[in-house]
């Protein structure tokens, strides 16, 4: 699973921990490679020590067909097979120490949970355009609404951009899951997905 983070979300998280945004984040997607074996069921408990600071991250992801290295935009778009909701779990108390080592996430990004169903791009009709899914994401935690967000509106990089960046040096096999990062709208009144 490859995930990139939305700039709005990255800016908020980095500001909270006193870190600067890398200048290249505005021109190239920021991607990490996550879990590759077992993921969580939609409503499964997150197996984490409370001291690790478990946090949810409401996201959209695509599941692709075989995608070779350095595809054209048309080739990348043609390989988007399904879209799915993701709760990309973060363990906030573990992440700063891991990133300080300069090598990336491991313990701070445990198993993610995926929505109970996936849809094909054509099922979204006019809400799938320019490599983005436009819709509403309602985020609730224990019955409390945290956000009523708009997907696609503030998505800095399309799935085409993300797929092309992820395949710059390698292909992606059929079934690879690639996320667009935490849904985050610049209009803070819409709430949060994290």
């Amino acid at each position: 699973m490859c995930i990139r983070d939305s700039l709005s979300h990255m800016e908020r998280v980095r500001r909270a921990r006193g870190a600067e945004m890398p200048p290249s984040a505005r021109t190239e997607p920021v991607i990490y490679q996550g879990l590759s074996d077992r993921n969580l069921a939609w409503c499964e408990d997150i197996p984490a020590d409370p001291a690790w600071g478990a946090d949810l991250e409401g996201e959209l992801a695509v599941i692709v067909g075989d995608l070779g290295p350095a595809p054209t935009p048309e080739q990348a778009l043609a390989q988007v097979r399904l879209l799915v909701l993701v709760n990309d779990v973060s363990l906030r108390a573990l992440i700063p120490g891991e990133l300080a080592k300069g090598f990336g996430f491991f313990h701070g990004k445990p198993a993610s949970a995926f929505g109970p169903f996936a849809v094909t791009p054509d099922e979204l009709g006019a809400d799938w355009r320019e490599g983005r899914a436009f819709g509403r994401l309602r985020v609730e935690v224990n019955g409390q609404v945290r956000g009523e967000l708009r997907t696609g509106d503030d998505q800095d990089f399309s799935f085409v951009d993300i797929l092309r960046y992820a395949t710059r040096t390698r292909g992606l096999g059929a079934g690879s899951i690639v996320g667009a990062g935490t849904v985050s709208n610049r209009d803070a009144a819409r709430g949060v997905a994290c």
Side-chain angles (χ1 to χ4, degrees), residues 50-117:
W52 296 342
D55 197 1
L56 68 118
E57 293 188 44
E59 302 183 8
L60 290 177
V62 294
I63 301 170
V64 299
D66 283 321
L67 190 58
T72 66
E74 295 77 18
Q75 290 168 328
L77 187 61
Q79 291 304 317
V80 173
R81 301 290 198 240
L82 297 167
L83 289 99
V84 65
L85 292 171
V86 181
N87 178 9
D88 178 34
V89 178
S90 288
L91 302 178
R92 297 282 177 216
L94 301 182
I95 289 174
E98 286 191 307
L99 293 180
K101 295 175 185 174
F103 206 60
F105 298 118
F106 186 74
H107 294 294
K109 298 301 285 185
S112 296
F114 290 85
F117 59 87

Side-chain angles (χ1 to χ4, degrees), residues 18-193:
E20 295 291 320
M21 285 283 287
S24 64
R26 302 198 187 295
T27 57
E28 294 180 330
V30 176
I31 294 178
Y32 70 90
Q33 187 166 349
L35 191 69
S36 61
D37 55 355
R38 182 189 180 276
N39 291 297
L40 300 173
W42 183 242
C43 291
E44 188 174 344
D45 288 341
I46 298 169
D49 184 317
W52 296 342
D55 197 1
L56 68 118
E57 293 188 44
E59 302 183 8
L60 290 177
V62 294
I63 301 170
V64 299
D66 283 321
L67 190 58
T72 66
E74 295 77 18
Q75 290 168 328
L77 187 61
Q79 291 304 317
V80 173
R81 301 290 198 240
L82 297 167
L83 289 99
V84 65
L85 292 171
V86 181
N87 178 9
D88 178 34
V89 178
S90 288
L91 302 178
R92 297 282 177 216
L94 301 182
I95 289 174
E98 286 191 307
L99 293 180
K101 295 175 185 174
F103 206 60
F105 298 118
F106 186 74
H107 294 294
K109 298 301 285 185
S112 296
F114 290 85
F117 59 87
V119 297
T120 60
D122 65 308
E123 289 178 281
L124 296 178
D127 290 331
W128 173 251
R129 58 188 184 277
E130 302 166 7
R132 291 174 172 83
F134 290 85
R136 183 175 69 99
L137 176 65
R138 180 183 178 102
V139 178
E140 291 184 26
V141 177
N142 298 327
Q144 285 191 312
V145 176
R146 298 284 179 94
E148 292 275 359
L149 299 126
R150 296 289 307 162
T151 65
D153 288 1
D154 296 321
Q155 186 176 338
D156 301 291
F157 297 97
S158 71
F159 279 108
V160 170
D161 299 327
I162 298 164
L163 290 170
R164 292 188 72 217
Y165 187 78
T167 56
R168 191 163 92 180
T169 61
R170 71 193 72 199
L172 292 174
S176 292
I177 302 167
V178 180
T182 304
V183 175
S184 180
N185 293 140
R186 288 181 177 85
D187 178 0
R190 291 183 176 170
V192 296

